[in-house]
Amino acid sequence: MESHNGEADDLPPPPPLDVGIEPIKAEGTKKLLKPNRALVPRKGFGKKGQPIRLVTNHFKVSLKNTEEFFYHYYVNLKYEDDTPVDRKGAGRGVIEKLQQTYATELANKDFAYDGEKSLFTIGALPQINNEFTVVVEDVSTGKTPANGSPGNDSPPGSDRKRIRRPYNTKTYKVELSFAAEIPMSAIAHALRGQESEHTQEAIRVIDIILRQHSAKQGCLLVRQSFFHNNPSNFVDLGGGVMGCRGFHSSFRATQSGLSLNIDVSTTMIVKPGPVLDFLIANQKVEHPNNIDWGKAKRSLKNLRIKIIPTNAENKIVGLSDRPCRETMFTLKRRNGDNVDTEEISVYDHFVKNRGIELRYSGDFPCINVGKPKRPSYFPIELCTLVSLQRYTKSLSTLQRSSLVEKSRQKPQERMSVLSEVLHRSNYDSEPMLMACGISIAKSFTEVDGRVLQAPKLKAGNGEDIFTRNGRWNFNNKRLIRASCVEKWAVVNFSARCNVRDLVRDLIKCGGMKGIKVDPPFDAFEENPSMRRAPAVRRVEDMFEQVKTKLPGAPKFLLCVLAERKNSDVYGPWKKKCLAEFGIVTQCVAPTRVNDQYLTNVLLKINAKLGGLNSILQVESSPAMPLISKVPTMILGMDVSHGSPGQSGVPSIAAVVSSREWPLISKYRASVRSQSAKMEMIDSLFKKQGTEDKGLIRECLIDFYTSSGKRKPDQIIIFRDGVSESQFSQVLNIELDQIIEACKFLDEKWDPKFTLIVAQKNHHTKFFIPGAPDNVPPGTVVDNKVCHPRNYDFYMCSHAGMIGTTRPTHYHILHDEIGFHPDDLQELVHSLSYVYQRSTTAISVVAPICYAHLAAAQVGQFIKFDEMSETSSSHGEHTSAGSVQVQELPCLHEKVRSSMFFC
C-alpha cells in the first residue's frame, strides 16, 4: 500500500470484479514493463569546509519491542440505518466509546486511530471481523430540532429545563476489518539502511500515535502539527484571522537511529467570538449595514458555532434569504390533544416566546444550522464562532507580513520553547508509545557540520568581489556585463512620485555601475479620470498614450505604481508588455529613494535587458569540476498552487534553464498552467501531431542556440516542492518525459542526468550550542540526522538575519554524471551566489528561486475572479484534474529568452 503525504487514507482492497466485467488494461503496457529507477544510495560524505559543532531539534528515540506487529484495521462507521457517517471528526468520539464499552472483547488493547479510516493495534484483535454497536451522547445536535424552526417544540420560558435534559444519544455501527500487518522490525531495519516496503507504514503508525495523543488533549491537528486552545498562543493578524502557535512532532529514521523531530509551527485560525464581529473584521467594514451578505455566506459556510443560551455546537449551513424579522416558520404547539400551528418570524419567536432580548439581529439574515431543505434558523447575535477553526483562504500581504513578524523566534528562544514543548507533551505517559517500548531522550541531538568557503565573485573591469557573511555590495564597482537602457520611457499610474528626480538619480547611479542610461523619451502621467477605472482599462489607456506619442516601440518601460505589493495594475501591465508587445519592463513603487534602492532596481533592469551583474570566478576561467569540461545545462523546476482555500485556480508549472554555457548565472524560463493542486508537471514533453509543444524542448533549443550550437551532454535538474512520497514519480515519470523530449529532438542523443530535489518545507533546524547566533552561511550537514541510506544533505547557504535559519534539504535522487559529494555540495553552494536580484547568498539554488518568480509573475497574467477565493469553503477540496484549465498567454518572442522574472 502506498503511504502518501502522511495524511491520505489507506483504502481497503478494491471490491472483487463482477463476473463478466473485463478489467481495464493500462495502455502501452510495454512502457510499464520498464524497470523503475531506484533512488541512488549515498556516495560517501563531504570533507571540505571548517568543522563546526551543532545541535539539532531531533531527540533520540529508543525502541524496545521490535518483535511485535502493528495490526492495521479498516474502520467503517455507519449510523443505525446503515448510512455512512459523513460528519468529519465524528470518528474519534465513537472509537473512544467503543474502547470503553467493549474493553474485554477487544482484549483491553490500546488503539492508534487516525480519526478517519485507519486503526492500529499492537498484536491482533481477538476476532477476525469485529462489528460493534456504540451509543454516544451527542453533544453537537439534538438541541435544535430540524423541522424548520428554532426549538419550536418547547413552550416559552422552558429553556432552563431544556439545558438540564440529558444529551440526545446517537447510535453508530462500527466495523473493524483486518487490512494488513506491519512488522515493527521494519523501523529497526530502516535504521540499518535496509528500507522495506513497511518502513514508511510503521513510522506512519507511530506518527498517528502522536496525533492521537494531541487529539485527546483537544488540539487542532494539521497533519503532524498540533495547536492547543490557549489564547496566549494566538496573535491577531487583522481581517478576522488569528495566527495560532503550536508545534510539529514526527518520527524520522536517521543515520543515528530513530529520532523525534519537534519544531515550532504556526497556522491560521478564524477569530473566535460573535459571528458579526468576525464579518465586520473580515470584510473591513465600519458598520454591519455595509456587510456583503453574499460574501459572508461563503466565508461562514461549514464553520462551527455555539448558540446561546443552550451552548449547543452546530455547523453553519447557510444564511436565510430574508432578514430575521421577515424569516417566517410554522410554530407547532401542543394544546391538550390538539396541535396548534401559527406562522411567526424567527425574530418574534425568540423575543416574545423565548424572552430573549435581541439588540440588532432583526435587520440581518439568520444563521442556518439545519439542512438546506429543512432549515433551522437562529438570530445572528446568539451565534459565536468556536475556537481552533482553520482559516484556509489566502492571506493578504499585510496579514502575511504580520504573521511572519509575530511568529519569528531567535535561535535561543526557539530552543527553550522546544525543550518546554517536549516536556509538556508528556509522551512518556502515552500508553501506545509505552506498549511499543518507545522512550524519548530529553536533549537535542549533536551533529557535526562544516562551513564551506564562499565562492569568489567577479565584477566588471576584472575586479574581484569579496563576500562577507554571505553578503557583498557594488560600491565603487561596475557590473560585469552592463547593458544599455535606450529607447525607453516612464509611465506613472497616479503614484505620488517626482518622476524627474527619479530618472535623474537613475541615470547617475547607472553611470557609476557602468550602465549607460539614456534620457527617456517621455514620462507619461495617468489621466486622472482613469484612476478609479478597472485595472485592465487603466493599462489599455496608458498604452494608447504611449503608442500615440512614441516614434516606435520602446525597448524598455519603467512603470511607477502607487502601491508596493498588491497593485491590481501589476498583472495586466506585465501581460501587456511581455505577452502582447515583447517590451522589457520594471515596476517600482518608490518610498525612500536612495543609492541602495536605485542599485537594486538597476540590478534587476540589467539582468532583464540581457546583462549580468556578477558571476562566479570559476565561470570566468571555466574551472568547475565536471561542468566546465562538457556542455552542461542546469534546470530549476517548480509548481506553484493557489492557496488551500482556492478551488479551480490552475497550478502553474515553471521550468528555468541555464544558457550560454559555460555560464551557470544566466537563465530563461518557460511557464504553463495545469490542473489545480497537481504537483507533477504534465507538460515537460507534449506531443501534438508531429511536434513537441512541451517545456523542455524550448529549454534545449535555447541552450543550443545560446551555447555555440552545442547540445548539453549533461543536464542537472533541481526540482522544488515534492515530498518524499513523490520522489519515485519525479524520478520515473518526470525524468522519463525529459528524456523523451531529448530523444524527440535527436534519437541518438544520450545526455547524462543528475536529479536533485530541494525541500524547504521540513522541520529540521540547526543551532550553535550556547551561542545566540544563527549558523553561519555555507553550513552543510550530511550526517546523523540525514537519511540512513539515501543521498541527502542539509545546506544553510544564506545568512539568517532574523528568526531561525531554515536549512534547505537537498536529496540526490539520480546521479549519472557522478559527482563527488564535495563537488556536489560546492556546486549547490555556488548556485546560491548567482542570484542576480540581490547581493546576498540566497537560501536555495538560484534556478529554483527563478522558477518560483517566473510562475508567480506569469500567474498574474490571468487574474482569477474573487469567487474562486471562496467557492471552496472550509474543509472542502476539489479533486485534481477535474476542471478545464485556463491556458496562460505565451510570452512574446522578443522577451521569451530574457530574465523577465528578475
Side-chain angles (χ1 to χ4, degrees):
M1 239 172 298
E2 218 175 62
S3 155
H4 294 282
N5 235 349
E7 48 178 337
D9 305 341
D10 267 348
L11 296 176
L17 284 172
D18 291 347
V19 185
I21 293 183
E22 222 180 286
I24 301 164
K25 290 193 175 67
E27 284 184 50
T29 324
K30 287 207 283 291
K31 266 191 194 164
L32 297 179
L33 297 176
K34 202 172 65 182
N36 266 1
R37 295 183 190 92
L39 269 61
V40 54
R42 184 179 298 285
K43 289 190 182 170
F45 298 94
K47 304 272 190 297
K48 284 187 179 172
Q50 191 68 35
I52 182 171
R53 291 197 46 210
L54 303 169
V55 293
T56 177
N57 56 340
H58 284 239
F59 299 85
K60 286 204 166 105
V61 175
S62 63
L63 193 68
K64 302 243 174 11
N65 308 347
T66 52
E67 300 311 305
E68 295 279 6
F69 283 80
F70 290 121
Y71 278 72
H72 178 186
Y73 293 90
Y74 178 69
V75 179
N76 189 8
L77 290 184
K78 291 184 290 199
Y79 294 114
E80 249 175 316
D81 59 2
D82 281 341
T83 55
V85 173
D86 51 357
R87 201 164 63 90
K88 226 176 144 46
R92 285 194 195 276
V94 177
I95 295 295
E96 210 164 303
K97 193 70 201 266
L98 167 80
Q99 212 173 346
Q100 292 162 12
T101 317
Y102 296 99
T104 41
E105 290 89 331
L106 297 165
N108 288 316
K109 284 201 178 294
D110 287 307
F111 294 163
Y113 174 52
D114 73 350
E116 301 279 334
K117 305 280 189 212
S118 290
L119 182 143
F120 301 87
T121 57
I122 297 173
L125 291 176
Q127 301 102 290
I128 296 292
N129 270 355
N130 297 275
E131 291 194 31
F132 305 94
T133 304
V134 178
V135 179
V136 178
E137 289 180 350
D138 193 25
V139 188
S140 72
T141 54
K143 305 238 185 74
T144 54
N147 50 0
S149 69
N152 59 13
D153 59 344
S154 51
S158 70
D159 283 328
R160 296 274 105 21
K161 294 193 199 78
R162 294 184 72 241
I163 292 170
R164 286 199 213 99
R165 216 174 58 190
Y167 286 140
N168 280 15
T169 56
K170 248 202 182 127
T171 305
Y172 294 91
K173 291 181 182 170
V174 184
E175 227 178 283
L176 303 179
S177 38
F178 172 72
E181 56 179 75
I182 303 159
M184 275 196 216
S185 57
I187 299 176
H189 289 319
L191 301 175
R192 293 198 290 273
Q194 303 158 343
E195 288 256 346
S196 71
E197 75 248 58
H198 294 302
T199 305
Q200 287 310 97
E201 285 293 294
I203 290 179
R204 184 171 156 246
V205 178
I206 53 179
D207 274 346
I208 285 170
I209 299 173
L210 296 180
R211 280 176 64 88
Q212 176 173 281
H213 184 74
S214 287
K216 283 180 181 162
Q217 298 169 7
C219 287
L220 162 67
L221 311 183
V222 182
R223 293 186 289 278
Q224 285 296 132
S225 293
F226 314 120
F227 303 91
H228 284 275
N229 188 11
N230 175 354
S232 67
N233 294 337
F234 301 166
V235 290
D236 202 327
L237 306 177
V241 186
M242 313 278 285
C244 175
R245 268 217 291 272
F247 67 99
H248 166 94
S249 176
S250 66
F251 288 105
R252 319 265 325 155
T254 71
Q255 287 167 26
S256 58
L258 190 65
S259 69
L260 179 68
N261 178 204
I262 295 187
D263 193 20
V264 176
S265 183
T266 307
T267 192
M268 281 81 67
I269 59 170
V270 173
K271 189 172 182 174
V275 169
L276 206 64
D277 291 359
F278 166 73
L279 291 174
I280 289 171
N282 186 246
Q283 299 192 9
K284 301 184 181 57
V285 290
E286 295 293 311
H287 194 276
N289 290 350
N290 305 339
I291 288 173
D292 170 340
W293 291 100
K295 239 185 194 176
K297 187 174 179 176
R298 295 196 298 266
S299 58
L300 291 175
K301 192 172 183 212
N302 289 334
L303 288 176
R304 297 190 318 280
I305 50 169
K306 274 208 161 88
I307 297 167
I308 304 166
T310 60
N311 257 353
E313 193 175 300
N314 284 281
K315 195 196 254 182
I316 298 179
V317 179
L319 300 174
S320 61
D321 296 332
R322 310 190 66 75
C324 188
R325 288 182 207 281
E326 298 171 25
T327 302
M328 309 298 285
F329 70 96
T330 309
L331 179 63
K332 295 175 185 168
R333 281 204 180 138
R334 282 252 161 87
N335 184 358
D337 292 342
N338 302 328
V339 175
D340 295 347
T341 61
E342 80 170 291
E343 284 290 306
I344 188 170
S345 72
V346 175
Y347 181 84
D348 287 345
H349 171 70
F350 275 90
V351 174
K352 294 176 182 164
N353 296 345
R354 311 252 322 248
I356 293 171
E357 184 197 351
L358 294 178
R359 298 198 318 279
Y360 53 75
S361 295
D363 305 325
F364 303 129
C366 304
I367 301 274
N368 177 15
V369 296
K371 297 268 188 300
K373 292 271 193 303
R374 296 175 65 195
S376 177
Y377 290 124
F378 286 87
I380 197 162
E381 73 191 76
L382 301 184
C383 304
T384 55
L385 291 163
V386 301
S387 192
L388 289 190
Q389 302 192 72
R390 263 185 99 187
Y391 180 84
T392 55
K393 312 222 174 4
S394 49
L395 293 181
S396 70
T397 315
L398 280 168
Q399 287 172 324
R400 186 172 296 283
S401 56
S402 169
L403 177 69
V404 169
E405 190 184 329
K406 289 172 177 168
S407 55
R408 61 168 74 115
Q409 291 169 316
K410 283 276 180 219
Q412 290 287 37
E413 186 192 346
R414 187 170 285 231
M415 279 182 81
S416 63
V417 167
L418 294 180
S419 298
E420 173 66 13
V421 163
L422 181 61
H423 174 69
R424 268 211 323 268
S425 36
N426 194 12
Y427 286 134
D428 297 343
S429 69
E430 172 57 49
M432 274 299 273
L433 290 179
M434 283 152 75
C436 298
I438 283 180
S439 56
I440 298 160
K442 296 285 181 279
S443 57
F444 287 69
T445 301
E446 293 183 4
V447 294
D448 302 317
R450 291 169 291 113
V451 182
L452 302 181
Q453 199 177 351
K456 292 193 171 65
L457 299 175
K458 280 268 186 235
N461 296 345
E463 285 190 73
D464 291 332
I465 295 177
F466 295 101
T467 62
R468 227 177 117 234
N469 197 26
R471 307 172 84 78
W472 62 96
N473 62 51
F474 278 107
N475 294 350
N476 309 322
K477 287 191 172 54
R478 291 178 163 244
L479 308 182
I480 191 152
R481 195 194 283 179
S483 52
C484 271
V485 182
E486 55 186 12
K487 293 192 179 155
W488 70 290
V490 187
V491 301
N492 179 10
F493 282 98
S494 305
R496 286 204 194 99
C497 169
N498 186 330
V499 173
R500 259 190 38 210
D501 288 1
L502 178 67
V503 168
R504 182 198 65 210
D505 295 344
L506 207 58
I507 291 173
K508 184 172 155 219
C509 186
M512 290 160 67
K513 303 285 171 271
I515 299 178
K516 181 171 169 288
V517 184
D518 288 348
F521 187 83
D522 205 343
F524 299 95
E525 293 289 337
E526 183 174 36
N527 184 339
S529 65
M530 294 301 296
R531 283 175 66 168
R532 300 263 171 274
V536 176
R537 282 282 329 274
R538 294 174 68 184
V539 169
E540 293 283 348
D541 186 75
M542 184 63 87
F543 253 91
E544 280 311 308
Q545 272 201 65
V546 172
K547 275 194 330 214
T548 49
K549 299 220 180 119
L550 289 187
K555 284 191 175 173
F556 172 69
L557 287 173
L558 183 71
C559 169
V560 186
L561 298 173
E563 49 285 273
R564 236 191 96 222
K565 281 289 187 204
N566 25 10
S567 165
D568 53 356
V569 173
Y570 181 86
W573 174 258
K574 287 283 183 187
K575 179 183 173 187
K576 197 86 176 152
C577 290
L578 297 174
E580 287 181 40
F581 289 101
I583 299 169
V584 176
T585 173
Q586 175 62 50
C587 292
V588 290
T591 39
R592 282 205 320 267
V593 176
N594 55 22
D595 194 53
Q596 181 67 57
Y597 177 81
L598 292 166
T599 302
N600 287 347
V601 169
L602 282 161
L603 292 180
K604 285 157 66 75
I605 293 173
N606 188 47
K608 287 175 180 180
L609 288 171
L612 269 174
N613 302 327
S614 60
I615 60 171
L616 301 165
Q617 198 176 327
V618 285
E619 284 177 277
S620 60
S621 60
M624 272 171 292
L626 296 178
I627 291 178
S628 303
K629 305 272 185 292
V630 179
T632 303
M633 178 163 88
I634 296 175
L635 297 178
M637 309 199 316
D638 180 42
V639 178
S640 70
H641 308 289
S643 62
Q646 289 178 315
S647 71
V649 173
S651 293
I652 293 175
V655 177
V656 161
S657 58
S658 64
R659 52 199 314 263
E660 295 183 33
W661 176 81
L663 290 180
I664 58 168
S665 290
K666 269 212 113 163
Y667 293 86
R668 46 118 34 226
S670 295
V671 185
R672 299 273 193 286
S673 56
Q674 59 183 39
S675 302
K677 309 280 183 274
M678 189 162 92
E679 190 45 71
M680 290 299 120
I681 301 179
D682 70 356
S683 50
L684 294 168
F685 174 67
K686 214 169 193 152
K687 200 170 166 191
Q688 286 179 3
T690 55
E691 285 188 60
D692 169 13
K693 299 276 193 202
L695 287 159
I696 295 297
R697 180 187 171 88
E698 293 177 16
C699 303
L700 295 171
I701 290 173
D702 179 81
F703 182 91
Y704 181 77
T705 51
S706 69
S707 306
K709 303 229 179 321
R710 288 193 199 70
K711 291 190 197 112
D713 292 327
Q714 301 179 149
I715 298 177
I716 301 168
I717 303 161
F718 286 97
R719 175 69 161 95
D720 187 32
V722 287
S723 60
E724 277 178 62
S725 59
Q726 296 163 317
F727 284 179
S728 175
Q729 285 169 283
V730 173
L731 185 54
N732 290 294
I733 300 169
E734 288 190 343
L735 183 54
D736 270 356
Q737 283 196 17
I738 295 171
I739 291 169
E740 266 188 88
C742 294
K743 293 286 185 200
F744 195 80
L745 275 171
D746 177 355
E747 189 55 49
K748 297 192 199 63
W749 174 34
D750 219 0
K752 291 179 175 172
F753 289 94
T754 291
L755 172 55
I756 301 167
V757 166
Q759 288 176 332
K760 295 274 302 210
N761 276 359
H762 59 82
H763 287 277
T764 297
K765 302 281 193 301
F766 298 110
F767 306 91
I768 304 172
D773 309 324
N774 268 310
V775 297
T779 300
V780 62
V781 172
D782 60 5
N783 60 69
K784 293 242 176 95
V785 287
C786 290
H787 198 280
R789 175 191 173 276
N790 299 349
Y791 192 3
D792 65 334
F793 62 87
Y794 290 93
M795 167 90 70
C796 301
S797 47
H798 65 300
M801 305 309 279
I802 39 184
T804 305
T805 298
R806 177 185 296 204
T808 300
H809 193 182
Y810 291 99
H811 304 257
I812 297 85
L813 306 191
H814 191 67
D815 181 26
E816 295 172 344
I817 299 174
F819 282 98
H820 183 277
D822 272 328
D823 292 341
L824 197 56
Q825 289 168 14
E826 295 255 74
L827 171 68
V828 165
H829 189 218
S830 297
L831 282 171
S832 307
Y833 279 78
V834 301
Y835 188 58
Q836 299 294 309
R837 284 167 43 120
S838 71
T839 53
T840 56
I842 54 173
S843 63
V844 66
V845 291
I848 279 180
C849 249
Y850 290 149
H852 278 305
L853 291 170
Q857 189 165 128
V858 178
Q860 293 266 348
F861 286 11
I862 38 180
K863 259 284 181 261
F864 311 108
D865 54 350
E866 186 32 358
M867 263 305 291
S868 63
E869 266 274 335
T870 37
S871 57
S872 144
S873 297
H874 300 266
E876 288 178 26
H877 286 291
T878 44
S879 60
S882 55
V883 207
Q884 182 66 42
V885 179
Q886 189 177 350
E887 286 211 7
L888 293 171
C890 286
L891 292 178
H892 194 283
E893 57 189 328
K894 284 201 231 161
V895 292
R896 209 166 283 164
S897 291
S898 73
M899 288 178 72
F900 67 87
F901 43 79
C902 252

